Amino acid sequence: MGLTSKLGEMGVITVRLEDAVNWARTRAMWPMLFGLACCAIEMMSTQASLYDLSRFGMELMRPSPRQSDLMIVAGRVTRKMAPVLRQLYDQMPEPKWVLSMGDCASCGGVFNNYAVVQGVDEIVPVDVYVAGCPPRPEQLIHGIMMLHERVKQEHISDWA
Amino acid sequence: MNLIRGFATTIKHLLEEPVTVQYPEEERPVRERFKGRHVLKRYENGLERCIGCALCAAACPAGAIWVEAAENTDEERYSPGERYAKVYEINMLRCIFCGYCADACPTQAIVLEHEYRLSFTDRRDAIYTKAQLLEPPPSGAADTPQQTEPGQFTRAIPEMEDPR
């Protein structure tokens, strides 16, 4: 407080480091698209101009894991696709988050059979599950906002 | 000439209003028949419409609904007729919002309403219980269980207005 009161007249703002870093992380969270089924169509329409994910600093939806922070798994993950998904997750740099979009990615949804992974959290740690079949663009944005709230509460001691 | 026409198109689009919906602040209303989160309905006297027949669970293609029924008594009455739903759970991550449950329901107890904000940080939070799904009793009506007179609510399904 002493520093703030001394520097207050000079137009300097002091914040905690974790607040500043978490603010920066939530404002530029580049997603890695992992569109596997019909949920990907809604993910595209969230990216398009009507809902415009770039308002949240997410304009770069690119399939390159080494430049991504957030993996949006959209669609059913088959047992054959699961090792690929895990490999791409391992190639993403820390810190990284996973958003499971839709019923199929979250728990298998209507596909309760031997070919489909019953929830993508069997292979990668999921932060936010978004329900819906497929979710509306608003639902996906709501899930992203929920993830932002979660990221803002991370502490400096949690950083590896 | 083509160049001028091209630039005219560009300038016309520059002057247009942006179409973007500023979602968390501004919401686009959903369509009237949009299928969102389920709500369990009540009659005007506050009794629950759901009679615990589990036809919704049988109709559900994803197996998202779990119903356990129990017996009604006149001292503790939850719904008209013999039985009521003691446990009613819907897994929102299994549900595909097809509306077959609403079609199968003989008393129009389950209705897919317009709430769509369904995001969870834990899979266990996605299982909505009866307390979360049931709508509050209408104004002036008592909550269930109610004490009723014998012989007043013997029929589980209301009589049809125009039987054919």
Side-chain angles (χ1 to χ4, degrees):
Chain A
M1 285 306 285
L3 188 67
T4 318
S5 59
K6 273 179 193 164
L7 297 176
E9 290 168 15
M10 293 160 65
V12 179
I13 303 167
T14 56
V15 289
R16 289 189 299 169
L17 178 65
E18 58 185 24
D19 285 348
V21 171
N22 287 343
W23 175 83
R25 282 177 177 176
T26 53
R27 290 310 189 275
M29 197 178 269
W30 289 4
M32 190 185 84
L33 61 117
F34 212 96
L36 294 167
C38 33
C39 279
I41 304 294
E42 290 297 301
M43 190 166 68
M44 287 174 217
S45 83
T46 317
Q47 187 69 62
S49 53
L50 189 55
Y51 290 99
D52 203 7
L53 265 186
S54 56
R55 291 182 289 138
F56 307 100
M58 302 174 85
E59 52 267 88
L60 279 166
M61 264 249 193
R62 48 163 60 160
S64 71
R66 290 182 205 281
Q67 283 84 29
S68 308
D69 306 303
L70 168 69
M71 180 192 251
I72 301 179
V73 186
R76 62 195 90 89
V77 184
T78 52
R79 297 251 168 232
K80 205 155 189 175
M81 197 67 186
V84 182
L85 192 140
R86 178 71 213 192
Q87 192 182 0
L88 286 172
Y89 176 77
D90 288 338
Q91 285 175 352
M92 282 163 67
E94 292 276 356
K96 51 192 172 186
W97 297 275
V98 179
L99 190 144
S100 163
M101 179 186 179
D103 286 4
C104 302
S106 298
C107 72
V110 77
F111 302 102
N112 191 357
N113 57 34
Y114 63 87
V116 175
V117 176
Q118 296 298 303
V120 76
D121 51 1
E122 284 182 21
I123 41 178
V124 290
V126 178
D127 291 287
V128 171
Y129 303 87
V130 180
C133 188
R136 287 170 69 84
E138 285 107 325
Q139 279 177 282
L140 179 60
I141 294 172
H142 182 256
I144 289 166
M145 302 301 283
M146 192 180 245
L147 180 70
H148 284 182
E149 292 303 313
R150 217 180 134 126
V151 171
K152 276 179 200 162
Q153 285 163 9
E154 283 182 5
H155 293 297
I156 200 164
S157 55
D158 302 334
W159 300 347
Chain B
M1 196 59 216
N2 278 335
L3 188 75
I4 297 165
R5 211 158 60 207
F7 275 121
T9 309
T10 310
I11 290 163
K12 198 178 78 191
H13 283 288
L14 273 176
L15 299 174
E16 278 179 358
E17 285 277 305
V19 292
T20 308
V21 180
Q22 305 288 331
Y23 164 64
E25 293 86 28
E26 172 198 351
E27 288 181 25
R28 203 167 64 144
V30 294
R31 298 280 175 193
E32 199 182 320
R33 292 174 63 189
F34 176 76
K35 289 171 184 156
R37 207 203 78 191
H38 315 68
V39 173
L40 287 173
K41 293 285 183 185
R42 290 178 192 258
Y43 290 107
E44 288 84 25
N45 56 9
L47 285 180
E48 296 159 16
R49 277 177 176 266
C50 179
I51 53 171
C53 64
L55 277 175
C56 45
C60 185
I65 308 181
W66 174 252
V67 187
E68 265 180 47
E71 295 281 327
N72 271 322
T73 55
D74 283 319
E75 288 76 43
E76 277 192 30
R77 180 165 291 284
Y78 290 85
S79 68
E82 291 171 16
R83 302 199 299 167
Y84 71 100
K86 190 180 166 198
V87 178
Y88 197 102
E89 289 176 352
I90 299 180
N91 188 349
M92 287 298 159
L93 286 180
R94 280 274 175 203
C95 174
I96 56 165
F97 304 94
C98 58
Y100 284 8
C101 48
D103 290 351
C105 187
T107 57
Q108 277 116 48
I110 185 161
V111 176
L112 280 83
E113 293 273 350
H114 292 171
E115 175 63 41
Y116 54 77
R117 283 175 288 266
L118 297 163
S119 305
F120 313 97
T121 50
D122 192 345
R123 259 170 81 164
R124 270 164 292 205
D125 299 341
I127 298 170
Y128 274 55
T129 56
K130 190 183 167 188
Q132 289 167 289
L133 292 168
L134 196 64
E135 67 169 7
S139 60
D143 200 357
T144 49
Q146 295 180 6
Q147 194 166 9
T148 54
E149 288 176 24
Q152 194 183 359
F153 294 106
T154 49
R155 219 184 139 86
I157 298 169
E159 283 185 54
M160 289 170 77
E161 284 164 15
D162 183 18
R164 253 188 287 221

